[in-house]
Amino acid sequence: MNPFPIIRLILAEILDLDVDQISPETYVIRTLQAESIDLLEIGVAMQHRLGIGVDDDLLFLKNVRTVLNRAKRDAKDPLDALKSEYPHLSENRVRHILADLSAGPVLRVEDLVAYAESFGQAKG
Amino acid sequence: MNIGFQGKTALILGGSSSIGLALTRLLQDEGLIAILTHASKDGLARIKGHFPDLATGSPHLDFSDVSDEALASALENDVDYLIDLAQADHETYLAAASQTDMDAYFKAHVTGRLRVLKAVTRSMLARRFGRLLHVSSTAATLPAPGQGLYGAAKRATEGLYQSFALELGSRGVSALSLRLGLVDAGRGERFLDRENRRQDLAQKIVTVDQAAATLLFLLSDQALALTCTTITMDAGLTAQKYL
């Protein structure tokens, strides 16, 4: 089952938006202006409505810069470091994140979808 | 004055305590559902002795060993109210405390408790209502010698409750700590009997019924503005310089 419609509905309810304003490419923090308390609620809602376990740090890509700083310190490839930390993201998506970092928080709706889908695959 | 309750279900941690059992009766009188946790066979037996029909559904929940299964069992029903009465006593002088005791006590009463609170509040967030009530102790600020671990854990717990209320208040979750003084039950009762202080401290004792009735009010809709803070109910025990 594609979790995108449910996730879009969750975001619309919590952020008081029209569902038409939300696509997979929408930035959750940069564009939708989600704050910390909103992210907490979004995680809880995904946990309850999708029946998945939620690790907020992974779901919301909270440690991207920490992971990159650690990779730099240890002279490791940043792409590999992010892929290892966030196995639910595709390589193309990780490449895009690396190119997109300077513009602000990178989290997009498609990342939430990928997390939910990977959980389903792990369970299956 | 009529008091009202917008929630229906109360989870009482340490439900087999005297205050927990007395509060259960009051909650039932108000038409609320009480779920009483226990951490030992003795606790379960006490619940069974007072409320046989509640013993079957009493979740086993021990702060020193909080498992996913235990949390799932405790949160099988949506919980609107959490009353936190669970606290093991461990009297020792801090300078005499063993490394094992120090680690275990804080792991259980701070970290283990926080794990339970996290699960409960995440459940409350989904419904945008919840009330957390921590039964603290005047030992949080005025511990007797030997109450160092207990008092420090209580004070840390007060901080956790305050922060939960601060962080989740905008989403309908409120929290309060009530510091009780000398209660004629549990460790208070043991103190009064051991030290033979019943007569000279008679006016400073909080009865179980008083404590339970106050907790009931603090859970009510009328008391929801009491949040993000700690209040004291000790019959004036800690208001004076010398006793």
Side-chain angles (χ1 to χ4, degrees):
Chain A
M1 185 189 71
N2 178 7
F4 172 66
I6 296 175
I7 291 173
R8 180 165 66 169
L9 194 59
I10 289 170
L11 290 166
E13 286 174 2
I14 291 173
L15 300 172
D16 198 19
L17 299 166
D18 192 298
V19 288
D20 295 337
Q21 295 174 260
I22 303 166
S23 73
E25 292 77 28
T26 304
Y27 289 95
V28 177
I29 299 168
R30 202 187 294 177
T31 305
L32 300 183
Q33 303 287 305
E35 298 180 355
S36 297
I37 185 70
D38 300 318
L39 296 182
L40 177 60
E41 272 202 297
I42 291 164
V44 167
M46 286 179 63
Q47 178 185 336
H48 284 261
R49 294 201 214 170
L50 295 170
I52 62 173
V54 166
D55 179 324
D56 284 25
D57 287 349
L58 292 179
L59 176 62
F60 300 120
L61 311 182
K62 287 185 176 179
N63 297 327
V64 166
R65 290 179 192 278
T66 305
V67 170
L68 292 176
N69 287 338
R70 198 187 309 139
K72 186 177 181 182
R73 183 196 66 194
D74 298 340
K76 290 187 174 170
D77 179 46
L79 183 71
D80 288 343
L82 283 184
K83 281 168 60 182
S84 173
E85 183 77 10
Y86 304 110
H88 58 286
L89 300 181
S90 69
E91 182 164 331
N92 276 344
R93 176 63 189 132
V94 174
R95 287 186 188 283
H96 185 259
I97 286 173
L98 284 170
D100 192 31
L101 267 176
S102 58
V106 295
L107 182 69
R108 301 210 302 197
V109 175
E110 64 179 302
D111 303 327
L112 307 183
V113 173
Y115 182 91
E117 285 177 333
S118 73
F119 197 90
Q121 286 161 8
K123 278 175 77 177
Chain B
M1 181 181 81
N2 291 323
I3 58 173
F5 299 89
Q6 57 183 288
K8 287 181 183 170
T9 304
L11 178 67
I12 305 180
L13 307 179
S16 66
S17 62
S18 299
I19 296 175
L21 294 169
L23 177 61
T24 297
R25 184 75 66 198
L26 297 181
L27 289 168
Q28 289 184 334
D29 288 347
E30 295 294 329
L32 275 73
I33 299 164
I35 301 167
L36 284 63
T37 74
H38 67 276
S40 68
K41 285 182 180 174
D42 287 348
L44 183 59
R46 276 170 61 84
I47 293 171
K48 195 171 184 179
H50 289 77
F51 300 98
D53 52 326
L54 296 184
T56 313
S58 169
H60 178 266
L61 192 61
D62 184 347
F63 284 158
S64 64
D65 184 22
V66 180
S67 65
D68 289 341
E69 293 73 23
L71 286 175
S73 170
L75 296 174
E76 198 172 318
N77 300 295
D78 289 339
V79 170
D80 304 301
Y81 303 103
L82 178 84
I83 302 94
D84 184 353
L85 286 153
Q87 185 95 12
D89 203 6
H90 186 76
E91 291 211 7
T92 180
Y93 277 37
L94 292 181
S98 70
Q99 188 67 45
T100 304
D101 284 352
M102 288 189 272
D103 290 343
Y105 198 80
F106 286 108
K107 182 171 181 282
H109 293 94
V110 181
T111 310
R113 169 179 267 126
L114 178 56
R115 185 154 180 231
V116 173
L117 290 174
K118 180 182 170 187
V120 169
T121 52
R122 287 180 75 90
S123 159
M124 290 172 167
L125 266 179
R127 286 167 287 113
R128 289 201 167 187
F129 176 75
R131 178 78 165 152
L132 310 173
L133 197 45
H134 166 226
V135 178
S136 187
S137 164
T138 49
T141 50
L142 290 172
Q147 286 189 306
L149 295 178
Y150 175 78
K154 279 296 190 193
R155 198 154 179 182
T157 302
E158 290 176 358
L160 295 178
Y161 273 72
Q162 182 177 352
S163 285
F164 270 111
L166 188 66
E167 293 171 0
L168 306 182
S170 66
R171 299 303 190 267
V173 177
S174 63
L176 174 72
S177 288
L178 173 68
R179 281 184 191 157
L180 292 177
L182 191 52
V183 181
D184 196 4
R187 68 184 68 82
E189 184 180 21
R190 290 193 293 276
F191 165 79
L192 288 167
D193 291 337
R194 188 179 63 226
E195 306 288 332
N196 195 23
R197 302 288 304 273
R198 283 194 177 277
Q199 196 167 352
D200 63 308
L201 288 174
Q203 301 303 314
K204 304 296 184 190
I205 294 173
V206 177
T207 68
V208 169
D209 286 345
Q210 287 172 332
T214 300
L215 290 172
L216 181 74
F217 170 71
L218 292 175
L219 291 171
S220 73
D221 298 345
Q222 285 71 17
L224 292 181
L226 271 168
T227 186
C228 236
T229 191
T230 296
I231 58 176
T232 298
M233 177 182 181
D234 67 351
L237 181 73
T238 59
Q240 65 190 82
K241 197 169 182 182
Y242 302 114
L243 276 179

